[in-house]
Amino acid sequence: MDGTSVIKSVVKAANQYGSNASQDNLMFLLSQLDTLIGITSQGKSLKFFCPKEMLVTECLSYLLEFLNEPSTPPELTSKTMVLLFNLGADSEISHALQVTYNLPATLAACLQFYSKEQSPKQPEYLMLQCLQLLQKITYNYRISYPNNYGEDLIRFLIQQILGLESELQLPSLGLLANLCRNNISMQAHIKALDNIKAIYKKLIQCLSHSSQTVVVFSLSLLSSLCLYEEIGEKLFNAKNINQTFQLIFNILVKSDGIITRRYAVDLVIDVIKSPHIKQSLIIYEHFPVCLQQILKLLTTLEADAVSKIFELLLAFSSVNELRPAICRSLMMTPNLEALDSSIEPARLASTEPYFAAINWAMQDVQLHEHAPLKALEFLTDVYEELLDSSMTHVSPHLDIIIPIATGQLLCPVETDGVVLRARCRKLSKVLQLCLVLCGEEGVRSEIVRLLDTSVCLSILEHQLNHNRIGLNLYKPNNDDTDWSEPGAEVVLLMMDLFLKLEAYSLQQPLQQLLQDQRLMPFLAHSLTCKNRSRVQTALRVITHASSLQQFPTIILGECIASCNNHKAEEIETLKRPLNSPDPTFSLSRNNKLNDSSIQGLIDKMKTGMDLRDVRASEIMDVYEHKLTSLATKESHLQDLLEAKALALAQADRLIAQYRCRRAQSEAEARKLRCVLKESEKRSEEYREQLQQVMSDREHLSSKLQKASSENQRLITIAEAHDKLVVTHADTSKRLTCVESTLATQTAEYQSLKENHNLLTKHTDELQTKYNVTVETLEKQQEELTTRLKETEGQLANVSTQLKQKIEQLEKEKEELDTALDGLRSQLEKSEKTIKELGQKTSTLESDCRKLKKEVREKDNQVKLQRAELDKHSQLTQMIHSLTGGK
């Protein structure tokens, strides 16, 4: 489906909904947004959605207007955020949303609106979507602070972080990590908060969280806030730093999410900027093992994740002490050392990190923009260390890298500026790798043998004929379609490569190139740029070319002067007020005078000047250069026209931004009107409440008189309550006495039980003796009878004592029942008067119930004891019967 037609449909549907917010128009708009979301989902190309086009600008303005409008339906707001989340995957669109449309401010206002208690109609998932979109938009984007929304946003994020764990906590941590990274003013504001210690404590607690993403976000925040402070020194000290390294490397290797791995890479890049952490990483004993695991990721991950891994490896290679370890881990694997020359390297790209890096370096920049460039830069650092250092025990595998590097030198044939810019950047990285490989004396002949000189010359011809700098259009466009700067770097690096390979049959094409006047603007531009390496390379080329007889020194000087003049004009343009006239428009009058004088000189040259004279030829060169300078001025005027066109485009963008800001202001005005209406309603409610308070005051005064009389009545009741307290104390004493008697009875019962056990054991022994020796039992019959009489007397005494105690308990129970009846009657009367007395009587009733239960339990125990006594009596009768029968 054509993306432009879909955008037109969305704009049309948004316009219809804006003019008539009916349900049908809303459903039609939602269906169109679903279509646009489908063609902008993850993995789809977003080239059709160029933010500089008016149609796209209008579409984005409508989307921002939906977010700014409080009355927007939740389903429309959700679709809008999903679409903006998909569009944020493109760097150009994300930059436009950040700068031109000020999307972070809009989302912060939406978040503040959703978090208020006055908006319960908004679903909670909108807050989650808003936080996730803010986190994506603010990644690698520095928000200037202070601003009109930063303080409220930080307050909300910290509230979510310090609160209970919820689904909003994770994006809040990530968003706050984005805001604090490389933003000193934001860090200073957070450090000045009163609850900064609680924030530090919460972040340290999050380090033990089960989610790896939460751990990485917390570490990123801690490194931004306190890396160079006292708490940071304690947190990242020598004892903890090794555990921190191991934690980060485990997350890098084992994490499944690209977001977690991306933030982990950024964390490592940030912390190794600290000198003591860098030194700790150098001496970290497990670094080679972790490095091998990270290099292994190059064989399995996708392009976006691989780009971050290369970024991490480049950060490691920036530390000189770590470069040898990187080279050994990459080049000294067992499979790579035992590699057979007949095996194709492409087969090992899925298993060997070295071939994976080469494979990524060979990828087309039109498919993967960043990964091939970073892979080439990483290989350049590796071979720079291998060839410049004394690592003779490591095989550089030049037979693999040289054909691949020279094979990547291809002449671009595209006309799209964005693609040309990417291809020129890749060409410059490939040339840098070739220059590093040329540092070895024995490698240069192999490079010359494999290098296609015609392709290199075609690359230079393309730049000399089509580059804006070569055409004296020094002012580049401020967009991604301008490829003049990368193209100039390609020309310079190609000339430097030819200089190093001059002794290997490249002397003749090099001399022809150095004497070509079209090369001078590139050398002049490189001499006046800010890059030191480019200035040094340009000086090296000019130093070598100055020995040639026909080197156009005068033209080079004019080009340098023109570059300086152009930079001075830029500075004056920046200093000039907006309403001042442009002095460059006076060039037309001067051009007429110059044309007449030059025409006269040309006539004189045609009539009497001998062209064979050397000085005359130099004068000819001077005037030819004058003609080229006039052409330069004419092209400069054309450049000014282009600048005016660019200014018109910027004006269109400003108009779109104004529409967006106007929509925001209208939304704020609507919010203010709503607040005003709410304040008026509240004032009316306050008036009604005031009248109600006055009437309540009179009613309360009458109640106060009644309460005073009631108070006197309660005093008399309190006196009665005191008497009841005294009686309650007496009953409590009686209860304690009953409890003590029960304790003594239980002790006696235990002693009786022990005696019973002894008796049973004794009877068992007697029965065994009776079975064994009947004759001895007859002799001892009299003794047994006497013993049985004694035991019967004892049992009779015990039974009589138990009967007496049971009678006493029954009497006390009756007394307690009578006392409880009196107390219940008194408590019923006191419950009506005082609540406290009711509570105390209830407690007394509960105590009494407990006593009754205890008494019942005692009765049951007495019954059990009587049953046991009956059993004993039966046993004695059985024994008597047995003895009597014998």
Side-chain angles (χ1 to χ4, degrees):
M1 185 178 292
D2 186 14
T4 306
S5 61
V6 176
I7 298 173
K8 287 181 181 178
S9 301
V10 171
V11 172
K12 180 181 177 182
N15 192 8
Q16 291 178 359
Y17 180 76
S19 59
N20 183 14
S22 63
Q23 187 66 25
D24 295 335
N25 290 336
L26 176 61
M27 297 304 295
F28 179 67
L29 177 59
L30 291 176
S31 65
Q32 297 301 320
L33 285 176
D34 285 332
T35 305
L36 188 56
I37 289 170
I39 64 175
T40 58
S41 59
Q42 188 176 5
K44 302 293 181 63
S45 176
L46 298 176
K47 291 183 179 180
F48 69 92
F49 204 90
C50 180
K52 296 176 183 177
E53 297 179 357
M54 288 301 298
L55 185 62
V56 176
T57 301
E58 191 172 1
C59 179
L60 290 175
S61 300
Y62 276 120
L63 294 178
L64 269 293
E65 187 176 352
F66 293 152
L67 293 179
N68 287 320
E69 182 63 39
S71 60
T72 303
E75 57 270 18
L76 180 56
T77 305
S78 177
K79 298 288 185 184
T80 303
M81 289 186 182
V82 172
L83 178 58
L84 291 173
F85 189 86
N86 292 343
L87 296 175
D90 185 79
S91 59
E92 184 180 0
I93 301 174
S94 179
H95 181 74
L97 291 174
Q98 294 161 356
V99 179
T100 306
Y101 297 94
N102 198 15
L103 181 59
T106 302
L107 293 176
C110 293
L111 196 62
Q112 185 179 4
F113 176 72
Y114 297 151
S115 62
K116 287 183 179 179
E117 295 180 357
Q118 288 84 358
S119 60
K121 297 181 180 179
Q122 300 294 342
E124 294 182 357
Y125 67 87
L126 289 180
M127 294 179 65
L128 179 61
Q129 286 184 329
C130 189
L131 281 172
Q132 291 173 346
L133 180 56
L134 255 176
Q135 181 184 355
K136 186 166 189 176
I137 291 296
T138 56
Y139 180 71
N140 280 342
Y141 173 65
R142 184 181 180 276
I143 294 178
S144 59
Y145 186 81
N147 50 38
N148 57 352
Y149 64 89
E151 187 173 353
D152 295 333
L153 179 60
I154 292 173
R155 187 184 303 111
F156 173 79
L157 295 177
I158 292 176
Q159 182 181 359
Q160 294 298 325
I161 293 171
L162 295 180
L164 298 176
E165 186 173 355
S166 64
E167 59 182 3
L168 301 180
Q169 191 176 48
L170 180 62
S172 299
L173 280 170
L175 177 55
L176 192 60
N178 292 344
L179 296 177
C180 292
R181 189 174 183 232
N182 299 327
N183 197 332
I184 299 176
S185 57
M186 195 74 73
Q187 296 172 10
H189 173 75
I190 296 176
K191 291 177 185 177
L193 295 176
D194 296 333
N195 57 347
I196 184 63
K197 292 184 179 179
I199 296 172
Y200 286 155
K201 185 177 180 181
K202 181 65 175 180
L203 292 176
I204 293 172
Q205 290 177 356
C206 289
L207 297 180
S208 58
H209 199 273
S210 59
S211 174
Q212 294 180 347
T213 309
V214 174
V215 175
V216 171
F217 287 167
S218 303
L219 274 175
S220 179
L221 268 172
L222 288 171
S223 64
S224 298
L225 294 175
C226 60
L227 181 59
Y228 299 99
E229 296 184 358
E230 183 178 357
I231 187 172
E233 293 177 357
K234 293 180 180 178
L235 187 62
F236 298 101
N237 58 13
K239 295 181 180 179
N240 298 331
I241 193 63
N242 290 338
Q243 297 179 359
T244 305
F245 284 150
Q246 191 62 44
L247 175 64
I248 297 173
F249 287 136
N250 288 337
I251 292 173
L252 282 170
V253 174
K254 299 179 182 178
S255 177
D256 296 331
I258 186 173
I259 295 177
T260 307
R261 186 175 282 112
R262 182 184 300 164
Y263 278 85
V265 170
D266 294 336
L267 174 63
V268 176
I269 294 173
D270 290 340
V271 297
I272 63 175
K273 294 177 182 178
S274 175
H276 76 276
I277 294 181
K278 182 189 295 185
Q279 187 63 31
S280 300
L281 182 61
I282 292 171
I283 62 177
Y284 181 51
E285 59 180 352
H286 301 294
F287 178 74
V289 178
C290 298
L291 184 60
Q292 289 177 359
Q293 295 175 348
I294 292 172
L295 288 170
K296 198 70 176 178
L297 295 175
L298 299 176
T299 62
T300 58
L301 297 180
E302 299 294 331
D304 294 336
V306 165
S307 179
K308 294 303 292 185
I309 296 298
F310 277 124
E311 189 176 343
L312 176 64
L313 294 173
L314 288 173
F316 287 155
S317 63
S318 64
V319 182
N320 295 328
E321 291 83 355
L322 298 179
R323 280 195 171 191
I326 296 173
C327 294
R328 286 192 295 269
S329 299
L330 184 68
M331 309 297 291
M332 294 185 64
T333 59
N335 294 332
L336 192 59
E337 291 179 351
L339 180 65
D340 190 1
S341 58
S342 61
I343 298 177
E344 294 181 3
R347 295 182 181 177
L348 298 175
S350 60
T351 56
E352 287 298 320
Y354 174 70
F355 291 110
I358 292 176
N359 185 36
W360 283 111
M362 294 170 61
Q363 296 296 317
D364 190 1
V365 290
Q366 197 169 358
L367 298 176
H368 309 292
E369 183 179 0
H370 302 290
L373 303 180
K374 292 179 181 177
L376 286 168
E377 191 174 353
F378 173 64
L379 289 172
T380 302
D381 290 345
V382 169
Y383 276 98
E384 185 178 2
E385 179 67 21
L386 286 174
L387 299 178
D388 292 346
S389 63
S390 59
M391 297 181 65
T392 57
H393 60 286
V394 180
S395 176
H397 295 284
L398 296 174
D399 55 338
I400 298 174
I401 191 64
I402 292 176
I404 293 174
T406 55
Q408 294 297 309
L409 294 175
L410 301 174
C411 181
V413 294
E414 291 83 6
T415 57
D416 187 5
V418 178
V419 179
L420 277 175
R421 180 184 177 88
R423 294 199 182 281
C424 289
R425 291 176 63 188
K426 184 177 180 181
L427 277 174
S428 64
K429 298 294 183 183
V430 173
L431 287 171
Q432 288 175 2
L433 177 59
C434 291
L435 287 171
V436 169
L437 295 175
C438 289
E440 189 76 17
E441 187 68 28
V443 181
R444 296 178 185 176
S445 59
E446 184 67 18
I447 292 177
V448 172
R449 187 179 67 83
L450 296 173
L451 186 65
D452 193 347
T453 310
S454 61
V455 174
C456 297
L457 294 176
S458 63
I459 293 172
L460 289 173
E461 283 292 328
H462 181 271
Q463 296 294 332
L464 296 176
N465 294 329
H466 298 91
N467 197 303
R468 293 170 58 86
I469 294 175
L471 298 175
N472 296 321
L473 300 175
Y474 294 104
K475 186 176 181 180
N477 293 327
N478 294 322
D479 54 21
D480 293 336
T481 60
D482 180 44
W483 50 275
S484 56
E485 284 290 335
E489 187 176 5
V490 169
V491 173
L492 192 65
L493 293 173
M494 187 69 77
M495 295 304 300
D496 193 15
L497 181 63
F498 277 22
L499 284 178
K500 291 191 175 183
L501 301 177
E502 181 185 8
Y504 301 91
S505 69
L506 290 179
Q507 185 174 5
Q508 183 177 357
L510 178 61
Q511 291 181 359
Q512 292 176 358
L513 288 171
L514 292 176
Q515 294 173 2
D516 195 342
Q517 296 180 4
R518 296 176 299 173
L519 183 64
M520 299 305 109
F522 293 93
L523 295 176
H525 181 75
S526 300
L527 280 175
T528 56
C529 72
K530 299 179 181 179
N531 194 337
R532 294 182 179 179
S533 62
R534 291 179 65 179
V535 173
Q536 293 171 2
T537 305
L539 286 173
R540 190 161 53 248
V541 173
I542 293 171
T543 303
H544 183 82
S546 60
S547 60
L548 299 176
Q549 186 176 0
Q550 296 181 358
F551 181 70
T553 308
I554 298 174
I555 297 176
L556 177 62
E558 290 291 335
C559 291
I560 294 173
S562 179
C563 289
N564 293 330
N565 187 22
H566 171 68
K567 290 188 176 182
E569 288 178 359
E570 285 184 347
I571 295 172
E572 290 177 359
T573 304
L574 293 174
K575 292 181 180 179
R576 189 187 308 126
L578 294 175
N579 55 358
S580 63
D582 194 349
T584 57
F585 286 102
S586 63
L587 291 173
S588 60
R589 182 181 61 186
N590 297 330
N591 286 336
K592 294 179 180 179
L593 297 174
N594 292 332
D595 291 339
S596 61
S597 60
I598 290 171
Q599 186 64 36
L601 291 172
I602 291 172
D603 294 336
K604 289 180 182 180
M605 290 167 62
K606 287 181 179 180
T607 55
M609 188 173 289
D610 188 6
L611 296 177
R612 290 175 294 178
D613 190 2
V614 177
R615 183 163 182 80
S617 64
E618 290 181 356
I619 295 172
M620 285 281 290
D621 292 337
V622 171
Y623 283 109
E624 285 178 1
H625 183 65
K626 290 293 183 182
L627 291 172
T628 56
S629 65
L630 289 174
T632 302
K633 291 179 180 178
E634 183 180 359
S635 63
H636 185 62
L637 288 174
Q638 184 67 27
D639 193 17
L640 288 174
L641 290 176
E642 293 179 0
K644 295 299 180 183
L646 181 61
L648 288 174
Q650 290 177 352
D652 293 335
R653 287 197 295 271
L654 289 175
I655 290 171
Q657 188 175 2
Y658 169 73
R659 290 177 62 186
C660 181
R661 296 290 174 83
R662 182 179 178 183
Q664 291 179 357
S665 63
E666 289 177 355
E668 291 177 357
R670 293 190 191 95
K671 291 179 183 178
L672 290 174
R673 284 196 293 270
C674 294
V675 171
L676 182 60
K677 290 180 182 179
E678 290 178 359
S679 63
E680 290 177 354
K681 290 180 181 178
R682 288 177 183 175
S683 63
E684 293 177 358
E685 292 176 357
Y686 290 155
R687 291 192 191 96
E688 294 177 356
Q689 290 177 1
L690 182 61
Q691 293 176 358
Q692 184 68 26
V693 167
M694 295 298 292
S695 62
D696 291 340
R697 182 180 178 183
E698 295 177 355
H699 184 65
L700 288 173
S701 62
S702 62
K703 283 186 177 181
L704 183 62
Q705 294 177 357
K706 293 180 181 180
S708 61
S709 61
E710 186 71 18
N711 189 16
Q712 293 178 357
R713 190 173 63 83
L714 289 174
I715 290 171
T716 56
I717 293 171
E719 293 176 354
H721 174 263
D722 294 335
K723 294 179 180 178
L724 289 174
V725 169
V726 173
T727 56
H728 178 265
D730 294 335
T731 55
S732 63
K733 290 179 181 179
R734 291 178 182 177
L735 287 173
T736 54
C737 294
V738 170
E739 288 176 354
S740 62
T741 55
L742 287 174
T744 55
Q745 287 178 358
T746 53
E748 291 177 355
Y749 171 73
Q750 291 293 332
S751 62
L752 290 173
K753 188 176 181 180
E754 291 177 355
N755 292 328
H756 176 263
N757 292 330
L758 292 173
L759 288 172
T760 54
K761 291 179 180 179
H762 187 62
T763 54
D764 292 335
E765 291 176 355
L766 289 175
Q767 187 174 0
T768 53
K769 290 179 180 180
Y770 176 77
N771 294 328
V772 176
T773 55
V774 176
E775 295 178 355
T776 56
L777 287 174
E778 290 178 352
K779 294 180 181 180
Q780 296 177 356
Q781 183 177 2
E782 295 177 357
E783 295 177 0
L784 286 173
T785 54
T786 55
R787 289 181 182 177
L788 286 173
K789 289 179 181 180
E790 290 177 359
T791 54
E792 286 177 357
Q794 290 178 358
L795 289 172
N797 293 328
V798 169
S799 62
T800 53
Q801 289 177 0
L802 285 173
K803 288 179 181 179
Q804 291 176 359
K805 289 180 180 180
I806 289 169
E807 290 176 356
Q808 290 177 0
L809 288 174
E810 288 178 352
K811 291 180 181 180
E812 289 178 356
K813 180 180 177 181
E814 291 176 356
E815 291 176 358
L816 288 173
D817 290 332
T818 54
L820 287 172
D821 292 333
L823 288 173
R824 284 173 184 170
S825 61
Q826 292 176 1
L827 287 172
E828 288 177 356
K829 294 178 182 179
S830 61
E831 280 176 356
K832 298 178 182 178
T833 58
I834 299 170
K835 293 181 179 180
E836 294 179 356
L837 289 174
Q839 293 177 354
K840 292 181 179 180
T841 53
S842 62
T843 55
L844 288 172
E845 288 177 355
S846 62
D847 293 337
C848 290
R849 291 190 187 96
K850 291 180 181 179
L851 289 173
K852 285 181 178 181
K853 289 180 180 179
E854 291 177 356
V855 169
R856 289 173 184 173
E857 291 176 356
K858 294 297 180 180
D859 291 337
N860 294 328
Q861 291 177 0
V862 169
K863 290 179 180 179
L864 293 173
Q865 289 179 357
R866 287 178 179 176
E868 290 178 356
L869 289 174
D870 292 336
K871 290 179 181 180
H872 282 294
S873 61
Q874 292 176 1
L875 288 172
T876 52
Q877 289 177 0
M878 289 174 66
I879 293 169
H880 279 296
S881 63
L882 290 172
T883 53
K886 293 293 180 179

